[in-house]
């Protein structure tokens, strides 16, 4: 059987390797060649054996911490930063010149006789106007104080006021000087700090999910919110004891992350249209909406499920008409469409939360058992995700009934915050996500 894989990002590379390992021939189409994000994070249990066998599959691996204003937690799962060179080498070593060919152009059906085309290219069509945004700097390790050289998945501590960032801003990511009188919803940011091998660290400020809409000069736009993240990153660097001006002067590079956080449609007809009507076109990776709607994780899922996907496609490729009918129904988020529906409901709920409510929500989330945290973060099964969501809401109810605090005023404030968070989740879960 002959496969054509369109797009050589992490998902395309994983699909190509899986097909080659199964004994099929593969043609890869991408004018950029094998290319990957500068930093690719995933959970260690999602990494398949064929990648773990490489001598240096990871740039780093650790059990990261999560910080709040008055709490911290060490996650039980091992988190890894994948080595891009390892993926390239595994792809090139998986097949010989007869079974693997890489073309530096985009796929065109008239030039190919593949039995199945796997398209991994993202498209703006079919996605909600909700994005995950992040801005980070890759810094030499010597700039980071010794006591901060610990991997951190989320640092949600409130930032102190800073003279260098004294321009008035709205909380959602726009300057109120540039957009006076604009009333916009606030979004919480958190800091992500990971080692990238010897001598380098990534320090990145992130908004896990935020609506991006309106013209480019709008306070709701992607451009305005990314600029806001740059200012917040400077304040975070000051909190860590790093001079922002020195950091930017010595930075190896700046990273800007922006991707859709949740797919809108189950079927993705644009994949077939843009491949000139080829019948056996299988969306995969970003094209299949293989994105955790609640967290934005996708790389680990695409790599983890590639072998299963190729096996499924090879079985059904004998019936191309039937394959085309069922592909839209079975492709979707990790854990299936029940899991995807729950994730999108969770995303709709968290979009309703204000920063202080979001911090309380995450505090209770990361206080759950390791199994429940893993179930939600990696979307193993719809029922498991449902248990995690119910468990988190139950913890909020417990805070409402018996809030922790040293004084009556503190307990009253905590109870009010938990009640607002609970009601935001309840209203948000019944509120449809914004459409274009």
């Amino acid at each position: 059987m002959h496969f054509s894989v369109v797009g050589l990002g992490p998902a395309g590379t994983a699909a190509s390797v899986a097909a080659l390992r199964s004994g099929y021939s593969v043609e890869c189409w991408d004018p950029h060649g094998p290319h990957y994000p500068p930093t690719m994070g995933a959970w260690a249990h999602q990494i398949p054996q064929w990648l773990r066998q490489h001598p240096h599959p990871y740039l780093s691996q650790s059990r990261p911490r999560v910080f709040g204003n008055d709490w911290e937690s060490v996650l039980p799962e091992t988190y890894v930063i994948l080595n891009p060179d390892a993926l390239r080498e595994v792809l090139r070593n998986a097949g010989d010149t007869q079974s693997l060919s890489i073309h530096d152009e985009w796929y065109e059906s008239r030039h190919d006789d593949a039995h199945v085309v796997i398209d991994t290219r993202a498209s703006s069509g079919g996605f909600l106007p909700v994005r995950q945004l992040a801005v980070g700097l890759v810094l030499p390790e010597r700039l980071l104080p010794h006591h901060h050289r610990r991997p951190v998945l989320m640092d949600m501590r409130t930032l102190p006021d800073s003279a260098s960032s004294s321009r008035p801003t709205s909380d959602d990511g726009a300057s109120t000087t540039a957009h006076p009188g604009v009333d916009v919803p606030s979004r919480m940011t958190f800091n992500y700090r990971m080692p990238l091998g010897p001598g380098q660290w990534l320090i990145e400020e992130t908004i896990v999910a935020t609506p991006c809409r309106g013209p480019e000069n709008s306070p709701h736009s992607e451009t305005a919110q990314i600029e806001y993240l740059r200012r917040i990153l400077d304040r975070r660097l000051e909190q860590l004891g790093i001079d922002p001006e020195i950091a930017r002067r010595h930075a190896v590079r700046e990273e800007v992350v922006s991707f859709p956080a949740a797919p809108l449609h189950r079927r993705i007809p644009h994949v077939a249209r843009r491949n000139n009507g080829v019948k056996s076109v299988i969306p995969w990776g970003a094209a299949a909406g293989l994105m955790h709607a609640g967290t934005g994780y996708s790389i680990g899922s695409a790599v983890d499920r590639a072998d299963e996907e190729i096996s499924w496609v090879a079985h059904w490729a004998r019936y191309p008409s039937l394959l085309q009918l069922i592909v839209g129904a079975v492709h979707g988020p990790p854990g299936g469409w029940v899991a995807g529906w729950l994730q999108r409901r969770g995303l709709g709920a968290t979009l309703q939360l204000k920063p202080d409510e979001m911090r309380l929500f995450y505090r209770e989330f990361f206080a759950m058992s390791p199994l429940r945290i893993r179930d939600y973060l990696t979307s193993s099964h719809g029922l498991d995700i449902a248990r995690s969501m119910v468990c988190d809401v139950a913890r909020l109810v417990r805070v409402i009934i018996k809030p922790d605090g040293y004084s009556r005023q503190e307990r009253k404030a905590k109870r009010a915050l938990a009640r607002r968070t609970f009601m935001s989740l309840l209203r948000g879960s019944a509120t449809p996500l914004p459409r274009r």
Side-chain angles (χ1 to χ4, degrees), residues 165-186 217-220 224-225 227-228 231:
S165 304
S166 58
R167 286 174 294 179
T169 60
S170 61
D171 288 334
D172 83 322
S175 167
T176 54
T177 303
H179 310 281
V182 177
D183 183 22
V184 290
S186 60
N217 60 352
S218 162
H220 298 276
Q225 296 192 64
E227 183 57 34
Y228 170 72
R231 296 198 295 272

Side-chain angles (χ1 to χ4, degrees), residues 44-357:
H45 71 270
Q46 296 177 308
I47 308 304
Q49 187 66 28
W50 55 260
L51 183 54
R52 290 201 300 267
Q53 289 174 343
H54 188 275
H56 305 288
Y58 314 133
L59 294 177
S60 69
Q61 52 183 324
S62 59
R63 291 195 172 181
R65 296 172 179 268
V66 178
F67 285 106
N69 283 333
D70 53 358
W71 61 274
E72 70 175 89
S73 176
V74 179
L75 297 184
E77 289 288 319
T78 300
Y79 187 79
V80 300
I81 303 294
L82 298 179
N83 181 2
D85 292 333
L87 282 173
R88 293 186 184 95
E89 291 175 16
V90 169
L91 173 62
R92 292 194 170 99
N93 294 335
D96 53 30
T97 55
Q98 293 183 341
S99 59
L100 172 66
S101 57
I102 299 177
H103 304 277
D104 58 352
E105 58 182 314
W106 286 124
Y107 170 80
E108 291 186 23
S109 59
R110 62 178 179 271
H111 295 158
D112 187 36
D113 59 353
H115 297 95
V116 177
V117 178
I118 297 180
D119 195 332
T120 69
R121 292 172 292 176
S123 171
S124 58
F127 281 98
L128 296 164
V130 177
R131 302 186 74 81
Q132 182 169 128
L133 303 177
V135 174
L137 294 175
V138 176
L139 299 177
E141 187 176 59
R142 58 184 170 79
L143 295 182
L144 189 63
H146 283 277
H147 59 282
H148 286 308
R149 294 177 189 175
R150 296 180 296 176
V152 175
L153 189 73
M154 298 179 74
D155 184 348
M156 295 169 281
R157 291 176 296 171
T158 305
L159 286 164
D161 292 333
S162 170
S164 63
S165 304
S166 58
R167 286 174 294 179
T169 60
S170 61
D171 288 334
D172 83 322
S175 167
T176 54
T177 303
H179 310 281
V182 177
D183 183 22
V184 290
S186 60
R187 306 304 305 152
M188 186 200 76
T189 71
F190 65 88
N191 195 248
Y192 171 92
R193 300 191 291 275
M194 286 290 161
L196 304 182
Q200 291 185 356
W201 281 72
L202 171 64
I203 302 179
E204 186 173 80
E205 199 71 17
T206 303
I207 303 176
V208 69
T210 181
C212 291
R213 55 185 182 270
E216 192 167 318
N217 60 352
S218 162
H220 298 276
S221 72
E222 178 184 340
T223 303
Q225 296 192 64
I226 286 176
E227 183 57 34
Y228 170 72
L229 280 171
R230 285 193 175 98
R231 296 198 295 272
I232 290 296
L233 178 60
D234 286 349
R235 292 173 60 187
R236 187 73 68 176
L237 290 170
E238 291 177 348
Q239 187 184 45
L240 297 173
I242 305 172
D243 188 310
E245 193 173 322
I246 294 176
R248 294 192 179 277
R249 190 185 311 143
H250 294 279
V252 177
R253 64 178 181 269
E254 181 187 61
E255 287 194 11
V256 177
V257 176
S258 174
F259 55 76
L264 178 60
H265 300 300
R266 176 178 299 182
R267 296 179 181 271
I268 310 177
H270 69 272
V271 173
R273 287 200 302 268
R274 70 187 180 196
N275 289 287
N276 299 325
V278 174
K279 294 298 182 185
S280 298
V281 175
I282 307 299
W284 183 241
L290 201 68
M291 181 79 70
H292 191 303
T295 64
Y297 295 140
S298 64
I299 290 175
S301 301
V303 174
D304 182 27
R305 296 178 62 198
D307 291 302
E308 178 184 346
E309 176 73 8
I310 292 298
S311 175
W312 180 87
V313 170
H315 174 76
W316 288 102
R318 293 171 292 178
Y319 316 101
S321 298
L322 181 61
L323 177 65
Q324 187 65 18
L325 288 174
I326 65 176
V327 66
V330 300
H331 278 70
W337 285 107
V338 173
W341 183 84
L342 288 169
Q343 291 168 13
R344 286 191 292 276
R345 301 292 276 191
L347 174 63
T350 55
L351 285 172
Q352 312 297 318
L353 300 179
K354 297 179 180 179
D356 55 349
E357 296 170 343

